[in-house]
Every structure is written in structure tokens, then in C-alpha cells.
Amino acid sequence: DTTLNDGEGGFTEFATDKDKQYAKELRSSETGEEQFEKLVSSDEKIVINYDSETVVGNDEGLVLGKTMDAENNKGDDIQEITIFEKAVELTENFINENVTSEQSVEIEGVLIENDLKKGTLGTMTLGHEIGHTTKKNLKLRNKAGKNPTSKQRKKIEKKPSAVGKKILEELIKN
């Protein structure tokens, strides 16, 4: 909340330890910091959920996160981000088991040449999903409806994917 601590900002009483850890990781990269600022200063009501059990796949592999229009228990429209932590863990484990001095692994167009720190892909995913809560992305999502065409999907994913890629690049350099 940007109004706490005499305008310095801070966490509300609703922030969990997990929220604080994700925030810390997100803010450890320049692009992640920009996404964090978008999150905390957004006009949209944004709720972040962490699903430690569900593993969902599509034709591109495991789904690490999603953002959906929803309603909270008061009937307010919200943007609901879900991070699929089990899928994140499985993907990080796969990468770390397959990266060697002779073999790298590519994810989101980023070449991974060393083991990933636990949580790196969750942080990248959160930054990506925050990109879906911008006014411009909401407009694209609303126009596309429940079943977007391939062309609409590419437009919806373009900026969030670029942001996620940049965060991943910055995190693996640190």
C-alpha cells in the first residue's frame, strides 16, 4: 500500500509471508520492480493466489500462472492472479536436472546455462501475470472474450511475455 509509512509504502495487514517473499524476489530486478509498482499502484483490485497442487498443461508445456476476471466476496470486480507453484517447482527441477556445462535449456526465449534458484520462475510468472492486469491488456482480453483467436492470444500475451522474459534475464544475471 503506497499510503503506508508516511507515503513510503508498505504491506497491508493482509499480506502473507509468501506475498512478502514474492515481492522481495520481484523487486530484486529492475523490471520486476517496475511490475511491483504497477501492482501496488493499480486502479484494479488485484488478488494473488498461490496454488501448490494444481498442474495444468497446454500445447506449450506446463502453465505456470494465469490471470482472470473474477469477483471477490463483496461482489467487486477483481483481477485474480494464480501462480501454479507445483508447475513452477516441476519446471525448475526439470531445468536444474538437465542443465550441464555442455547443455543449456531455453525457457521463454532465455537460455538457462546454470541451475535456477528456487522460485525464479515463480517470480518471472508473477511479473508476467501483472502484465495482464494493465488497462491495455484488460481491454485486449475483454475484446477477445472467453475464446480468443490465435491472433488475439498473441496480442494478449505479447507484452506480458516480454516482461517475463526480461525479468528472467535479470534474475539469472544477479
Side-chain angles (χ1 to χ4, degrees):
D1 184 337
T2 56
T3 62
L4 297 175
N5 298 324
D6 295 322
E8 292 292 314
F11 293 102
T12 68
E13 68 272 16
F14 304 110
T16 65
D17 288 344
K18 192 174 282 199
D19 290 327
K20 293 173 185 177
Q21 183 60 38
Y22 269 91
K24 179 182 175 188
E25 294 297 325
L26 193 61
R27 297 180 82 188
S28 70
S29 80
E30 184 178 331
T31 305
E33 174 67 28
E34 291 169 8
Q35 291 304 93
F36 180 79
E37 290 302 321
K38 286 179 184 176
L39 173 69
V40 299
S41 63
S42 176
D43 291 336
E44 297 296 322
K45 290 181 171 139
I46 302 170
V47 173
I48 302 171
N49 296 314
Y50 309 98
D51 184 330
S52 61
E53 296 176 12
T54 305
V55 177
V56 179
N58 62 24
D59 57 348
E60 297 175 18
L62 294 181
V63 176
L64 305 184
K66 72 176 181 178
T67 302
M68 296 179 46
D69 297 327
E71 277 188 10
N72 64 15
N73 55 9
K74 296 177 187 172
D76 299 324
D77 290 335
I78 62 168
Q79 295 301 304
E80 184 176 61
I81 294 174
T82 303
I83 305 298
F84 296 109
E85 293 186 310
K86 186 68 174 175
V88 167
E89 178 185 351
L90 291 170
T91 305
E92 287 176 344
N93 288 345
F94 173 82
I95 290 168
N96 290 342
E97 289 165 7
N98 288 282
V99 169
T100 66
S101 57
E102 293 87 35
Q103 179 177 327
S104 55
V105 174
E106 186 177 322
I107 184 162
E108 294 288 323
V110 178
L111 213 52
I112 309 295
E113 297 173 320
N114 299 298
D115 282 358
L116 285 176
K117 186 176 122 192
K118 183 176 174 14
T120 299
L121 295 183
T123 303
M124 173 201 76
T125 301
L126 179 56
H128 170 108
E129 296 304 327
I130 292 167
H132 286 300
T133 67
T134 64
K135 287 188 186 317
K136 188 172 183 176
N137 200 273
L138 282 168
K139 190 174 179 181
L140 290 172
R141 288 174 37 219
N142 289 335
K143 184 177 179 183
K146 294 250 184 237
N147 297 304
T149 64
S150 176
K151 186 177 180 181
Q152 288 171 320
R153 188 108 211 97
K154 281 183 181 173
K155 276 186 172 179
I156 291 167
E157 292 296 333
K158 186 177 180 178
K159 283 197 175 175
S161 291
V163 165
K165 177 182 178 182
K166 198 167 179 192
I167 289 171
L168 181 58
E169 289 170 339
E170 292 168 3
L171 289 174
I172 62 176
K173 284 180 186 172
N174 290 346

PDB file of all heavy atoms in Angstrom, residues 1-12 27 33 36-37 40-41:
ATOM      1  N   ASP A   1       0.851  -1.172   0.000  1.00  0.00           N
ATOM      2  CA  ASP A   1       0.000   0.000   0.000  1.00  0.00           C
ATOM      3  C   ASP A   1       0.895   1.233   0.000  1.00  0.00           C
ATOM      4  O   ASP A   1       1.701   1.439   0.910  1.00  0.00           O
ATOM      5  CB  ASP A   1      -0.902  -0.039   1.229  1.00  0.00           C
ATOM      6  CG  ASP A   1      -1.904   1.102   1.263  1.00  0.00           C
ATOM      7  OD1 ASP A   1      -1.666   2.145   0.621  1.00  0.00           O
ATOM      8  OD2 ASP A   1      -2.925   0.949   1.942  1.00  0.00           O
ATOM      9  N   THR A   2       0.755   2.064  -1.036  1.00  0.00           N
ATOM     10  CA  THR A   2       1.618   3.239  -1.189  1.00  0.00           C
ATOM     11  C   THR A   2       1.332   4.331  -0.168  1.00  0.00           C
ATOM     12  O   THR A   2       2.120   5.258  -0.022  1.00  0.00           O
ATOM     13  CB  THR A   2       1.473   3.832  -2.604  1.00  0.00           C
ATOM     14  OG1 THR A   2       0.095   4.126  -2.841  1.00  0.00           O
ATOM     15  CG2 THR A   2       1.966   2.862  -3.661  1.00  0.00           C
ATOM     16  N   THR A   3       0.222   4.229   0.572  1.00  0.00           N
ATOM     17  CA  THR A   3      -0.115   5.279   1.548  1.00  0.00           C
ATOM     18  C   THR A   3       0.473   5.006   2.926  1.00  0.00           C
ATOM     19  O   THR A   3       0.447   5.886   3.786  1.00  0.00           O
ATOM     20  CB  THR A   3      -1.641   5.429   1.680  1.00  0.00           C
ATOM     21  OG1 THR A   3      -2.188   4.201   2.176  1.00  0.00           O
ATOM     22  CG2 THR A   3      -2.275   5.772   0.339  1.00  0.00           C
ATOM     23  N   LEU A   4       1.003   3.826   3.154  1.00  0.00           N
ATOM     24  CA  LEU A   4       1.549   3.479   4.474  1.00  0.00           C
ATOM     25  C   LEU A   4       2.922   4.112   4.692  1.00  0.00           C
ATOM     26  O   LEU A   4       3.597   4.512   3.750  1.00  0.00           O
ATOM     27  CB  LEU A   4       1.658   1.959   4.617  1.00  0.00           C
ATOM     28  CG  LEU A   4       0.341   1.180   4.574  1.00  0.00           C
ATOM     29  CD1 LEU A   4       0.613  -0.312   4.595  1.00  0.00           C
ATOM     30  CD2 LEU A   4      -0.554   1.575   5.728  1.00  0.00           C
ATOM     31  N   ASN A   5       3.338   4.195   5.947  1.00  0.00           N
ATOM     32  CA  ASN A   5       4.675   4.695   6.324  1.00  0.00           C
ATOM     33  C   ASN A   5       4.973   6.078   5.753  1.00  0.00           C
ATOM     34  O   ASN A   5       5.984   6.296   5.101  1.00  0.00           O
ATOM     35  CB  ASN A   5       5.773   3.703   5.900  1.00  0.00           C
ATOM     36  CG  ASN A   5       5.624   2.368   6.575  1.00  0.00           C
ATOM     37  OD1 ASN A   5       5.231   2.292   7.732  1.00  0.00           O
ATOM     38  ND2 ASN A   5       5.932   1.313   5.842  1.00  0.00           N
ATOM     39  N   ASP A   6       4.070   7.013   5.992  1.00  0.00           N
ATOM     40  CA  ASP A   6       4.232   8.400   5.529  1.00  0.00           C
ATOM     41  C   ASP A   6       4.536   8.481   4.035  1.00  0.00           C
ATOM     42  O   ASP A   6       5.404   9.232   3.593  1.00  0.00           O
ATOM     43  CB  ASP A   6       5.339   9.105   6.328  1.00  0.00           C
ATOM     44  CG  ASP A   6       4.981   9.248   7.793  1.00  0.00           C
ATOM     45  OD1 ASP A   6       3.789   9.507   8.083  1.00  0.00           O
ATOM     46  OD2 ASP A   6       5.888   9.106   8.636  1.00  0.00           O
ATOM     47  N   GLY A   7       3.829   7.668   3.244  1.00  0.00           N
ATOM     48  CA  GLY A   7       4.000   7.711   1.792  1.00  0.00           C
ATOM     49  C   GLY A   7       5.136   6.857   1.268  1.00  0.00           C
ATOM     50  O   GLY A   7       5.344   6.773   0.060  1.00  0.00           O
ATOM     51  N   GLU A   8       5.875   6.210   2.161  1.00  0.00           N
ATOM     52  CA  GLU A   8       6.980   5.341   1.732  1.00  0.00           C
ATOM     53  C   GLU A   8       6.456   3.995   1.225  1.00  0.00           C
ATOM     54  O   GLU A   8       7.164   3.276   0.542  1.00  0.00           O
ATOM     55  CB  GLU A   8       7.954   5.088   2.895  1.00  0.00           C
ATOM     56  CG  GLU A   8       8.725   6.317   3.323  1.00  0.00           C
ATOM     57  CD  GLU A   8       9.715   6.771   2.282  1.00  0.00           C
ATOM     58  OE1 GLU A   8      10.448   5.919   1.736  1.00  0.00           O
ATOM     59  OE2 GLU A   8       9.755   7.976   1.989  1.00  0.00           O
ATOM     60  N   GLY A   9       5.231   3.646   1.609  1.00  0.00           N
ATOM     61  CA  GLY A   9       4.648   2.378   1.201  1.00  0.00           C
ATOM     62  C   GLY A   9       4.947   1.282   2.205  1.00  0.00           C
ATOM     63  O   GLY A   9       5.804   1.421   3.074  1.00  0.00           O
ATOM     64  N   GLY A  10       4.226   0.198   2.071  1.00  0.00           N
ATOM     65  CA  GLY A  10       4.424  -0.944   2.949  1.00  0.00           C
ATOM     66  C   GLY A  10       3.345  -1.974   2.702  1.00  0.00           C
ATOM     67  O   GLY A  10       2.453  -1.781   1.882  1.00  0.00           O
ATOM     68  N   PHE A  11       3.437  -3.077   3.403  1.00  0.00           N
ATOM     69  CA  PHE A  11       2.472  -4.148   3.250  1.00  0.00           C
ATOM     70  C   PHE A  11       1.276  -3.914   4.162  1.00  0.00           C
ATOM     71  O   PHE A  11       1.425  -3.450   5.278  1.00  0.00           O
ATOM     72  CB  PHE A  11       3.120  -5.497   3.596  1.00  0.00           C
ATOM     73  CG  PHE A  11       4.175  -5.906   2.614  1.00  0.00           C
ATOM     74  CD1 PHE A  11       5.520  -5.746   2.914  1.00  0.00           C
ATOM     75  CD2 PHE A  11       3.832  -6.433   1.381  1.00  0.00           C
ATOM     76  CE1 PHE A  11       6.495  -6.104   2.008  1.00  0.00           C
ATOM     77  CE2 PHE A  11       4.795  -6.802   0.467  1.00  0.00           C
ATOM     78  CZ  PHE A  11       6.136  -6.635   0.781  1.00  0.00           C
ATOM     79  N   THR A  12       0.107  -4.270   3.652  1.00  0.00           N
ATOM     80  CA  THR A  12      -1.093  -4.196   4.481  1.00  0.00           C
ATOM     81  C   THR A  12      -1.105  -5.387   5.426  1.00  0.00           C
ATOM     82  O   THR A  12      -0.295  -6.315   5.299  1.00  0.00           O
ATOM     83  CB  THR A  12      -2.377  -4.230   3.618  1.00  0.00           C
ATOM     84  OG1 THR A  12      -2.490  -5.529   3.023  1.00  0.00           O
ATOM     85  CG2 THR A  12      -2.363  -3.147   2.549  1.00  0.00           C
ATOM     86  N   ARG A  27      11.191  -7.530  -6.692  1.00  0.00           N
ATOM     87  CA  ARG A  27      11.871  -6.238  -6.611  1.00  0.00           C
ATOM     88  C   ARG A  27      13.394  -6.352  -6.739  1.00  0.00           C
ATOM     89  O   ARG A  27      14.081  -5.354  -6.785  1.00  0.00           O
ATOM     90  CB  ARG A  27      11.499  -5.550  -5.299  1.00  0.00           C
ATOM     91  CG  ARG A  27      10.001  -5.247  -5.243  1.00  0.00           C
ATOM     92  CD  ARG A  27       9.596  -4.572  -3.988  1.00  0.00           C
ATOM     93  NE  ARG A  27       9.893  -3.150  -4.145  1.00  0.00           N
ATOM     94  CZ  ARG A  27       9.806  -2.274  -3.172  1.00  0.00           C
ATOM     95  NH1 ARG A  27       9.455  -2.667  -1.964  1.00  0.00           N
ATOM     96  NH2 ARG A  27      10.079  -1.019  -3.388  1.00  0.00           N
ATOM     97  N   GLU A  33      10.826  -4.674 -10.322  1.00  0.00           N
ATOM     98  CA  GLU A  33      10.460  -3.501  -9.509  1.00  0.00           C
ATOM     99  C   GLU A  33       9.380  -2.689 -10.222  1.00  0.00           C
ATOM    100  O   GLU A  33       8.412  -2.246  -9.597  1.00  0.00           O
ATOM    101  CB  GLU A  33      11.692  -2.636  -9.243  1.00  0.00           C
ATOM    102  CG  GLU A  33      11.402  -1.323  -8.525  1.00  0.00           C
ATOM    103  CD  GLU A  33      10.929  -1.476  -7.085  1.00  0.00           C
ATOM    104  OE1 GLU A  33      11.291  -2.478  -6.426  1.00  0.00           O
ATOM    105  OE2 GLU A  33      10.189  -0.598  -6.611  1.00  0.00           O
ATOM    106  N   PHE A  36       6.186  -4.540  -9.808  1.00  0.00           N
ATOM    107  CA  PHE A  36       5.708  -4.402  -8.433  1.00  0.00           C
ATOM    108  C   PHE A  36       5.007  -3.056  -8.262  1.00  0.00           C
ATOM    109  O   PHE A  36       3.928  -2.979  -7.660  1.00  0.00           O
ATOM    110  CB  PHE A  36       6.878  -4.535  -7.452  1.00  0.00           C
ATOM    111  CG  PHE A  36       6.466  -4.397  -6.018  1.00  0.00           C
ATOM    112  CD1 PHE A  36       5.878  -5.455  -5.344  1.00  0.00           C
ATOM    113  CD2 PHE A  36       6.648  -3.200  -5.338  1.00  0.00           C
ATOM    114  CE1 PHE A  36       5.481  -5.329  -4.012  1.00  0.00           C
ATOM    115  CE2 PHE A  36       6.258  -3.060  -4.012  1.00  0.00           C
ATOM    116  CZ  PHE A  36       5.672  -4.134  -3.350  1.00  0.00           C
ATOM    117  N   GLU A  37       5.601  -2.003  -8.799  1.00  0.00           N
ATOM    118  CA  GLU A  37       4.984  -0.668  -8.704  1.00  0.00           C
ATOM    119  C   GLU A  37       3.641  -0.635  -9.424  1.00  0.00           C
ATOM    120  O   GLU A  37       2.689  -0.012  -8.939  1.00  0.00           O
ATOM    121  CB  GLU A  37       5.927   0.408  -9.255  1.00  0.00           C
ATOM    122  CG  GLU A  37       7.149   0.656  -8.384  1.00  0.00           C
ATOM    123  CD  GLU A  37       6.801   1.065  -6.948  1.00  0.00           C
ATOM    124  OE1 GLU A  37       5.836   1.825  -6.739  1.00  0.00           O
ATOM    125  OE2 GLU A  37       7.509   0.609  -6.035  1.00  0.00           O
ATOM    126  N   VAL A  40       1.110  -2.432  -7.020  1.00  0.00           N
ATOM    127  CA  VAL A  40       0.669  -1.718  -5.815  1.00  0.00           C
ATOM    128  C   VAL A  40      -0.012  -0.386  -6.118  1.00  0.00           C
ATOM    129  O   VAL A  40      -0.709   0.148  -5.261  1.00  0.00           O
ATOM    130  CB  VAL A  40       1.820  -1.518  -4.795  1.00  0.00           C
ATOM    131  CG1 VAL A  40       2.349  -2.864  -4.329  1.00  0.00           C
ATOM    132  CG2 VAL A  40       2.937  -0.652  -5.347  1.00  0.00           C
ATOM    133  N   SER A  41       0.173   0.131  -7.322  1.00  0.00           N
ATOM    134  CA  SER A  41      -0.461   1.412  -7.648  1.00  0.00           C
ATOM    135  C   SER A  41      -1.620   1.264  -8.638  1.00  0.00           C
ATOM    136  O   SER A  41      -2.189   2.256  -9.074  1.00  0.00           O
ATOM    137  CB  SER A  41       0.578   2.401  -8.189  1.00  0.00           C
ATOM    138  OG  SER A  41       1.129   1.913  -9.399  1.00  0.00           O
TER     139      SER A  41
END
